[in-house]
Structures are given as C-alpha cells and as structure tokens.
Amino acid sequence: MINPATFNTSASDGTVRKLIIEPVLKKDADGKLTDTGVYRLIKNASDNDSILFTEPLETTESNTDIPDELNPDYLGKITLNGKSWTFEGDLLTEHEQQQVADFIIGQA
C-alpha cells in the first residue's frame, strides 16, 4: 500500500474510531517510492471526508510538521511483517489493531 487510506475500526462495544492510515515510504534504487511495511495511524476528525494529498507539494517552504509524539492526532504506528504485525502506541485496542492490520494486508 503506497497511498494513504481512511479506515474505521469498531470496538467490541460498537464504538467507531475513524482514522487515516499513512504508509511510510522509501525510495528504491530506481528512485521509485516503495512500501516499507510501516504505517502511521492518525485520527480522522472529519467524518472520513479528509482530503488525502498524494501528489508532491507545490512549495519550497521548509517542512513544519510536528513530531508524532507531540501530535494530538497521532494514534501510533503499525509495522507489518508478512501476516504478523506489531503496534507502537497505547490508544488502540488489540481488536482495533487487528482490524487495521487485516485491512492493510488486504490491500497488498
């Protein structure tokens, strides 16, 4: 998966959590972007109507992103290795993590 995606998890009590799955990419030897198996998970507070930017920025200004640990919308990071996964973070339940991992694996 090389493009960001929106996804909704559901807790065992029926609560829905809306999030954006953002793949961490790297350039291969040919300069082509490739999937690293690492995905940042971010809150989607816009009822899944967020516009995901998949094209290069049209600016020369420096990057003003804040670090993940300071971003209140950052939910964690999931790393896939085949059909197994690890999660770094504390806001998603194991059930929600499994749903995200299954979704990403299904996109491959």
Side-chain angles (χ1 to χ4, degrees):
M1 185 170 118
I2 63 168
N3 289 320
T6 56
F7 183 73
N8 295 341
T9 62
S10 58
S12 55
D13 67 358
T15 304
V16 173
R17 185 187 310 261
K18 299 172 182 187
L19 52 93
I20 296 171
I21 302 170
E22 180 184 83
V24 175
L25 305 174
K26 68 177 180 179
K27 288 187 179 181
D28 63 13
D30 297 325
K32 182 178 175 184
L33 292 175
T34 59
D35 189 348
T36 62
V38 179
Y39 303 87
R40 292 175 67 240
L41 305 176
I42 304 162
K43 290 179 191 174
N44 183 356
S46 300
D47 295 324
N48 280 348
D49 289 333
S50 293
I51 297 172
L52 301 175
F53 296 100
T54 57
E55 297 180 11
L57 293 176
E58 296 181 13
T59 182
T60 57
E61 294 180 19
S62 64
N63 187 344
T64 58
D65 288 343
I66 60 173
D68 289 337
E69 60 273 4
L70 297 178
N71 184 345
D73 292 332
Y74 181 72
L75 296 171
K77 177 172 58 175
I78 193 164
T79 303
L80 298 179
N81 185 9
K83 298 226 182 235
S84 65
W85 50 270
T86 56
F87 178 73
E88 294 176 37
D90 56 2
L91 296 176
L92 296 182
T93 66
E94 188 171 336
H95 180 70
E96 290 174 308
Q97 296 167 34
Q98 184 66 56
Q99 292 173 58
V100 171
D102 289 344
F103 173 78
I104 296 168
I105 290 168
Q107 298 298 306

